Amino acid sequence: MNKYFFLIMLISLILFTACESDEIVEPPPNIVLFLVDDMGWQDTSVPFWNERTPFNDRYHTPNMERMALEGMKFTQAYATAVCSPTRISLMTGMNAARHRVTNWTLKKDSLQPMETNHEILRFPEWNVNGISPVSGDEKAVHATPLPQVLQNEGYFTIHSGKAHLGAIGTLGADPLKLGFDVNIAGHAAGAPESYLGTENFGNGKEGKEDWAVPGLEKYHGEDIFLTEAITREALAAVDSAVTAQQPFFLYMAHYAVHTPIMGDDRFVQKYFEQGLDSTEAKYASMLEGMDKSLGDIMDYLEEKKIAENTIILFMSDNGGLSVHGRGGEPNTHNKPLSSGKGSAHEGGIREPMLVKWPGKVPVNSTTDAQLIIEDFYPTILAMAEIDSVETAQVIDGKSFMHLLRSELRNEERPLFWHYPNEWGPSGPGIGASSTVRLGDWKFIYYHVDGRMELFNIREDIGETTNLMEDNQEKAKELAGVLTDYLVEVEAQMPAFKETGEQVPYPIALFQETVTE
């Protein structure tokens, strides 16, 4: 009798313990990282400033509005000025000065023509081949990619859309080599040859093979926009993870709203009717199509009853295109910010950012705390409760989990940008440069001629007044902070073609200028 009594008690204890464990242990959160290409800070009906702008009234992004109401808005979130450096920083947690993928990638082992043909500067042999998951690849940064870490921890990892992480023919060009279980439409190129299914997304065009979007053959010949096709395929991939009850990481990296600017027929007519320039009407329709994708994902999560355990992060990879390829006056498409894509000014690097995390992030909240793209890496690992991981690379990014909890910290942290390259077009803030933002102040050093700019961003968000002459002490301080960082990470600098001498660090030239 006693034997059976003790046996029953033991079984009851095991069952009780199991039930208690089920109640205590929460499943890992699903994570959606929604990255838009070339979307400016003002390209939305959600205001990211202290007032609405005409652009906020021009564009229609109801699902961004919905996400802002259900989560946190970041008004001072930064990326780099062009796409590949941002994407490598996102996948590695490294600042561009350290990982050296400082310009956009495409051809293996090759500098861009606008760099080799520059009249004054000889540009460094930067990591034109992008990221590599193994050591020894030439002109590539060896790093442990973010999706690889998540995959190792049991996440089902989905890449959808634009990759642009490695040059043609390299490991980094294939998301499946970087820790993704599924790759939808991602390859080496940073733009689609066409957004239209009726044009097979560029496939079949002679001489355009590098730009044709791969892997969407089922939609060839259909009247469907690329943004929609990618979204459908991404949700199908997510569905497989949901069915298997596996946590997932969805990297929704849209090609939109990168050129070629092509009208999304579902939305473009109303913008024509508003009297917008044809190019701008098409651009607005691409933004609304992107926003529909966001809404489709949010709707799916609610339908599957997994929204409460899913984090959504929304970000853009650089500022909005403005210097060329747009309708209207160049360098005005991101006002009140100065300039746009390719620029060290705010219009080139400040991005619209949102985070929704039910039960964790205060709803309808806003923070003006500053962060930069490499901060996503440690933050996403923290979200997934991955406490410690060995990586091949040094992580420059800092987790912004405390911001999501609305925890205030009295800390001023410098943010750095380094672009020892040539983008091509000319405009405010465009060109080879190094930049630091510290508190309200921003210092920019231009490599070609040693020009320096000092702005107080809080008082002058449009960077209209260079305060170099009025506040040389602050400029000297920031030149020193920037120089120390460039030296610490062994940042590459251009050289002058005429003399072969390296462009001096900013503090040296600043001191020389002041002495004169």
Side-chain angles (χ1 to χ4, degrees), residues 405-427:
R405 300 188 186 104
S406 296
E407 296 174 4
L408 299 179
R409 295 181 182 177
N410 294 322
E411 56 182 20
E412 273 197 346
R413 167 197 170 202
L415 304 180
F416 299 99
W417 294 264
H418 184 57
Y419 187 72
N421 306 84
E422 174 67 20
W423 187 48
S426 299

Side-chain angles (χ1 to χ4, degrees), residues 9 14 25 90 109 111 117 123 127 130 174 181 190 198-199 284 295 316 357 386 405 416 439 477 505:
M9 290 295 293
I14 292 172
V25 178
L90 181 65
D109 299 331
L111 291 177
N117 297 332
F123 294 102
N127 281 331
D174 183 0
D181 293 302
T198 53
E199 296 182 355
S316 175
W357 190 356
I386 301 173
R405 300 188 186 104
F416 299 99
E477 173 195 342
Y505 290 116

Side-chain angles (χ1 to χ4, degrees), residues 35-149:
L35 186 72
V36 191
D37 194 7
D38 286 6
M39 180 183 179
W41 192 60
Q42 294 294 299
D43 290 346
T44 171
S45 50
V46 177
F48 283 84
W49 196 25
N50 54 16
E51 61 185 70
R52 290 188 67 83
T53 71
F55 289 117
N56 297 144
D57 294 329
R58 170 184 294 184
Y59 302 117
H60 186 53
T61 56
N63 294 294
M64 286 186 68
E65 294 177 31
R66 170 183 168 192
M67 188 173 168
L69 287 172
E70 297 174 357
M72 179 176 286
K73 181 168 63 173
F74 291 75
T75 65
Q76 296 194 84
Y78 289 98
T80 70
V82 293
C83 43
S84 290
T86 284
R87 291 163 193 271
I88 301 298
S89 290
L90 181 65
M91 290 295 162
T92 66
M94 305 169 76
N95 184 272
R98 190 189 298 273
H99 65 60
R100 297 184 173 183
V101 187
T102 46
N103 209 356
W104 59 278
T105 61
L106 183 64
K107 300 291 186 180
K108 187 177 180 180
D109 299 331
S110 299
L111 291 177
Q112 305 289 357
M114 69 283 289
E115 295 181 317
T116 56
N117 297 332
H118 198 276
E119 293 183 359
I120 298 174
L121 296 177
R122 183 176 70 244
F123 294 102
E125 294 289 326
W126 54 279
N127 281 331
V128 295
N129 292 335
I131 187 175
S132 176
V134 300
S135 61
D137 283 356
E138 291 188 2
K139 298 179 182 177
V141 58
H142 175 215
T144 307
L146 173 63
Q148 184 66 67
V149 179

